[in-house]
Structures are given as C-alpha cells and as structure tokens.
Amino acid sequence: MKKSSASNSITSSYAQNIQNIRDEFGNFSDLIIREFKIGSSNIRAFLVMIDGLVDKVVINEHILKPLMRDISIYKKDQSTCEEVYTLIKENILYSHCITEEKDWAKIVHCILCGDVALFIDGIDRCLLISVRGWESRGIEEPNTEVVVRGPREGFTENLRTNTALIRRKIRDPKLKIESIKIGKISKTDIAICYIESIAKKELVDEVKRRLEKIDMEYILESGYIESFIEDGKYSIFPTVGNSEKPDVVVGKLMEGRVAILVDGTPFALTVPYLFVEAFQTSEDYYSRPYYYSIVRLLRYFSFFVATTLPALYIAVTTFHQELLPTSLLISIASAQAGIPFPSFAETLTMLVIYEILKEAGVRLPRPVGQAISIVGALVIGEAAVSAGLIGAPMVVTVAFTAISTFMIPAISDAATIIRFACVFMSAICGLYGIMLILILMLIHLCSLKSFRVNYLAPIAPMVVYDLKDVFVRLPWRILKKRPIILNKNF
C-alpha cells in the first residue's frame, strides 16, 4: 500500500475522493471500486471494498439493489445530495452496523478489516457498512484438549466467534470484553475479558498496562502476546496459561482471572497462571471427584518420573548399585552385558531419538506422523536391542518416561529440559547431581510470580483453604467458594 498523499479528511469532490482511494491503496489486485448512480438521479456514488473480506451477496442484495433501484420510491425528484445522503443512512441501507466517518486513516483501516465504504458525490463524509464475510473454520473439538466428558466445542480463529462462545456461558452484563489493537502494521484485534464483580481492578489494570507497552509491527498469534506480558522472561515454566476450550476459560474467569483473546488464533491466554494448574484438567470437574483425585496424584507422580527417571537409572547403575536388590541388579547387569556404551551415552542416545520421533510425528500429516511415531519406536527400539547397542532396561525406562510426559502436556517443555539437566548431572555426581537440579528447580519455582501471585501458591506460601483443589479434587459442595490466592496480592 502506498503512502497516502490525501489530506486527513475526505472532500466533497467525487473525482478527488476516488483518486485519493487509488493513491492510498496503490496497486491492490483485490481492491474493488464499484461506481454507480443513485436511483434515477444523476448523483454519482462508489463503493470501496476488498475482495475476499466481504459478503458479496449482502452487498448486491442489501446495498447496491436498494441504492440503484429501491431508493426511487422514497426520493423526491429534486432532492439535494445532502437529502439523499440522509435518506440512505436512515431508511435505505439494510445493515445492522453503519457508521459515519471523515478521517482517511480510519476509513482505510475499516476497509482493510472487511467493511464497505460508500462515497457520494457532494458529501464530505462516507458511510462505513459492516458486511464482513470471509471464510473461516467452524467450531470443532480441539485436538490439544480432548475430553471424555464435557463440552466438545473449541475456539476458532475468528475473534467475534470466540467472544460469543464466552458470552453464551456467562449471561451477565458484568462480563466485560474490552478491545484494543496491537501491531503497528497488522493492527491485530485483542479482546480483554474479565468479570467486573470478581476480577480485581488492579489485576485488570496491570494486564492493560503490559499490553499497551507491547511495541511490535505485527501480532500473528497469542504466543507473541505471551512473551511480552509474562513475568518469568527467562524461565522454562509458563507463567501465562493458554487454552482452546471456552469452558476452561470461563472457569478461570469465574475464579477472578483475566482472559486475553487474539484475532487469528484459537488459543486464549489466561492470567495469573499457577504451577498447580498444569496438573488440572476440565474433566476433573465434570465427573465424580474420587477417581479423578487419584488421576491428579498420578499426574504429579508422572512429572517426577518424566524429569528424573532416566537420570535415576544412570545414577543407580553407575554410582549407587548398592541401592538395588541383588536380583534386580543381576537382571540389569545381564541385560547390559555386551553393551559397548556407558549408561550415560545409552540414555542420551535414546532420549535424543525419542525427541526426534516425537517432533517428526507432530510435523508430518497426522496419518503419516502416527505411523512414523509407532513404527519408528518399535523398529528402532527392537533393532537396537537385537544389535546389542542398547539394553532392554534402557528402552523400558525411556518409554515409561515418554508416556509420563504425555500426562502433563502443559509443562512438557519444562519437563524435557529438566530431564536433560538431570541426566547430565547424574552422570557427573549421581544422586547428588539429581538432588542439586531439583533443589535449584524448587528455588526457581518459589521465586516466580505470575501477575503478583506466587507461582507455587497455594503450596508455597501455604494457603490451607485453597489446598482443597491442589493434590485432590474435593466435591463441589466444598469447592463452591472461590480461591483466595488470586485476591490477596492485589
């Protein structure tokens, strides 16, 4: 788009306005300028729109047809341009949203957003008509948060669809949705959602302050926003939550959090985000609490396994063989007989192969990716054991570690980094190295905050009242009151 040579406001000259539009947009192959005469009069007008962003059926039936034919029924023979303009604005156009605008910058932005601009000869302002109608993905079940019981709908890439999904679940005027634009070039629409009577004003103001400080030319996904507003800039743990499910976001809003929706992505951000949220799923609250309390404990155990099991294998087989029962030690030793590599090299090799297979399975088309993940793991694992390159206990260890990582998808990235750190330290110091990494991790977690809320709360500092939804999920008759950890820091 060329730099505008037009003045800040439009003029009443038909020829000047149409020339200014062409100068403003330059060589736009998808720019449509439709010139016509209003009714049977000689008053000229033209529509400006971007092909692909507008609904052509609506334009033909509810804009062009009334202006070119139906207006003759209402218009007087000697009507002035101003009278025709007022008649069109108040009686002729069939649209739920019509705004009057003079500023060129706002007009150009609205056209690029999918609105139609109507210019009339002799009028120094235009009408912006909302006829946005681009193709978009329908509401589907998100692949990243599959549930057995619960809502199956997920956010889409359309911002207004996403806000409507939230409105459907919270039918209260206290639900506030405020819009801002971020990105000097992209001007991406951002929606800040919160419940006025629940979310603390200080939290909402802090979210707005951090969003307003973002200085970027473009925002393509909510991950851009997350990297600018998170507290732990260099932490491996996420301090901003994300979800594709409206019910998850609504549940967090009801606890006093703030949600951030970004146009063009189905992932909504929620703040503050705590460490314990990584072990909670929406399905925990839709079923009876007893079984899912056990499952939640398994998630905590899986985090420990995913981060330390390969390192424990190296430490025990290399430095602390006396900790193993004699029969188990003999079994491991017989499996390791003839393996040319030490436990550290064996473990590191298998972990790297696992990460390669996982990434290949994610990036390839789904049918091909699943085949590579399954066949690759079976063939490589079996071949490595048969060739005597890798011991069978190592294959079992890595497989159990991989399965445990899938139990905690929210912090799987952090678990992977900690796992490699533990592997290297266990090869140097044995169990002492693993303990050192875990202590450093605990110190780091205690130092983190998410929008002034302690990241490890309600565990550290201890808030007994909120522990009812941390390690286990107690019945709803006990959980009906909101957690206090989100409120006491503001």
Side-chain angles (χ1 to χ4, degrees):
M1 188 167 64
K2 294 182 179 180
K3 186 177 180 180
S4 175
S5 58
S7 59
N8 292 331
S9 299
I10 66 177
T11 68
S12 59
S13 170
Y14 179 92
Q16 184 63 48
N17 287 332
I18 202 169
Q19 184 60 45
N20 288 342
I21 285 289
R22 287 172 176 154
D23 292 342
E24 185 73 35
F25 286 91
N27 187 24
F28 259 48
S29 61
D30 52 353
L31 177 69
I32 298 176
I33 300 178
R34 173 67 165 90
E35 301 183 62
F36 59 96
K37 289 185 179 181
I38 298 175
S40 59
S41 68
N42 291 322
I43 299 176
R44 297 180 298 173
F46 66 93
L47 294 174
V48 183
M49 69 200 82
I50 301 295
D51 191 17
L53 297 183
V54 296
D55 190 327
K56 294 181 180 178
V57 175
V58 174
I59 293 174
N60 292 333
E61 294 296 324
H62 301 293
I63 298 179
L64 284 175
K65 182 179 177 182
L67 290 176
M68 298 176 69
R69 188 179 69 179
D70 298 348
I71 193 174
S72 301
I73 302 174
Y74 305 97
K75 186 176 69 64
K76 299 176 183 178
D77 294 337
Q78 301 300 323
S79 298
T80 64
C81 293
E82 192 66 41
E83 290 173 341
V84 171
Y85 175 83
T86 304
L87 180 64
I88 290 173
K89 180 181 177 183
E90 297 180 355
N91 300 97
I92 301 301
L93 293 177
Y94 306 149
S95 178
H96 69 287
C97 182
I98 301 176
T99 57
E100 189 177 83
E101 188 57 64
K102 289 185 176 182
D103 184 70
W104 268 114
K106 292 181 180 179
I107 293 171
V108 170
H109 174 72
C110 290
I111 293 173
L112 292 173
C113 289
D115 291 344
V116 171
L118 171 62
F119 293 83
I120 300 175
D121 189 14
I123 303 298
D124 61 351
R125 53 200 181 279
C126 81
L127 292 178
L128 295 172
I129 311 162
S130 178
V131 289
R132 302 179 186 186
W134 53 77
E135 296 293 330
S136 61
R137 182 171 62 93
I139 298 174
E140 303 170 352
E141 181 179 6
N143 295 324
T144 57
E145 298 176 78
V146 180
V147 296
V148 177
R149 180 176 180 178
R152 303 302 177 90
E153 60 188 6
F155 288 129
T156 70
E157 287 74 16
N158 189 295
L159 180 62
R160 281 295 153 246
T161 300
N162 297 341
T163 56
L165 289 172
I166 294 178
R167 286 280 187 196
R168 281 180 54 201
K169 296 182 181 296
I170 305 179
R171 300 184 177 111
D172 193 299
K174 292 179 181 177
L175 171 63
K176 304 299 181 183
I177 301 179
E178 301 180 11
S179 297
I180 61 173
K181 296 184 185 297
I182 300 179
K184 297 177 181 177
I185 296 178
S186 66
K187 296 180 176 64
T188 306
D189 290 317
I190 311 292
I192 305 171
C193 308
Y194 61 94
I195 301 177
E196 191 175 36
S197 58
I198 299 177
K200 289 292 184 179
K201 183 179 183 301
E202 293 82 358
L203 172 61
V204 177
D205 292 341
E206 179 67 15
V207 172
K208 293 178 182 179
R209 185 187 67 83
R210 296 191 188 188
L211 289 175
E212 289 170 356
K213 288 177 62 179
I214 297 177
D215 184 19
M216 281 280 289
E217 290 187 342
Y218 57 92
I219 299 293
L220 302 181
E221 213 274 336
S222 57
Y224 288 57
I225 303 291
E226 179 180 350
S227 62
F228 279 98
I229 67 174
E230 63 183 354
D231 285 83
K233 301 294 184 183
Y234 304 103
S235 175
I236 61 174
F237 291 94
T239 55
V240 177
N242 65 79
S243 177
E244 283 189 88
K245 291 176 65 65
D247 57 306
V248 173
V249 173
V250 167
K252 294 181 184 297
L253 291 176
M254 294 301 295
E255 291 182 344
R257 291 178 170 85
V258 176
I260 303 169
L261 307 180
V262 181
D263 189 28
T265 176
F267 287 92
L269 305 179
T270 56
V271 293
Y273 182 78
L274 307 181
F275 180 72
V276 297
E277 293 182 61
F279 304 92
Q280 300 169 346
T281 65
S282 60
E283 201 169 352
D284 294 353
Y285 305 95
Y286 302 147
S287 304
R288 293 173 62 80
Y290 314 108
Y291 171 72
Y292 280 96
S293 294
I294 298 174
V295 172
R296 186 173 293 183
L297 292 174
L298 285 176
R299 294 190 193 110
Y300 283 98
F301 175 71
S302 297
F303 175 71
F304 176 78
V305 169
T307 53
T308 62
L309 185 59
L312 288 174
Y313 179 84
I314 295 173
V316 171
T317 56
T318 305
F319 296 97
H320 310 285
Q321 297 92 340
E322 68 278 2
L323 296 178
L324 296 175
T326 303
S327 57
L328 179 59
L329 182 61
I330 293 173
S331 177
I332 294 177
S334 61
Q336 290 290 101
I339 303 299
F341 305 109
S343 296
F344 170 69
E346 191 181 2
T347 303
L348 189 61
T349 301
M350 287 302 297
L351 289 177
V352 171
I353 290 175
Y354 159 68
E355 293 296 331
I356 292 174
L357 287 174
K358 183 179 74 171
E359 189 68 14
V362 170
R363 302 304 168 194
L364 287 173
R366 186 172 301 173
V368 180
Q370 291 176 347
I372 286 181
S373 298
I374 297 172
V375 176
L378 291 175
V379 171
I380 293 177
E382 180 65 26
V385 173
S386 301
L389 298 177
I390 302 294
M394 187 68 258
V395 175
V396 174
T397 300
V398 172
F400 189 34
T401 301
I403 294 172
S404 298
T405 305
F406 296 144
M407 287 279 288
I408 47 169
I411 51 174
S412 59
D413 296 347
T416 300
I417 296 174
I418 296 172
R419 181 192 308 139
F420 278 101
C422 287
V423 164
F424 280 101
M425 290 303 296
S426 65
I428 299 173
C429 310
L431 290 177
Y432 299 104
I434 299 175
M435 290 300 298
L436 177 62
I437 295 296
L438 295 180
I439 290 172
L440 291 176
M441 179 190 72
L442 188 60
I443 293 172
H444 174 65
L445 289 174
C446 290
S447 66
L448 276 181
K449 288 182 181 291
S450 178
F451 284 78
R452 303 186 192 175
V453 179
N454 292 288
Y455 191 59
L456 269 187
I459 302 173
M462 179 74 72
V463 181
V464 178
Y465 178 82
D466 290 339
L467 290 177
K468 58 183 181 293
D469 191 28
V470 175
F471 299 106
V472 296
R473 201 277 279 181
L474 296 184
W476 268 113
R477 62 180 178 272
I478 302 176
L479 290 178
K480 61 183 180 180
K481 293 186 178 180
R482 297 185 186 90
I484 63 176
I485 54 176
L486 299 178
N487 299 325
K488 69 177 185 177
N489 293 280
F490 290 94

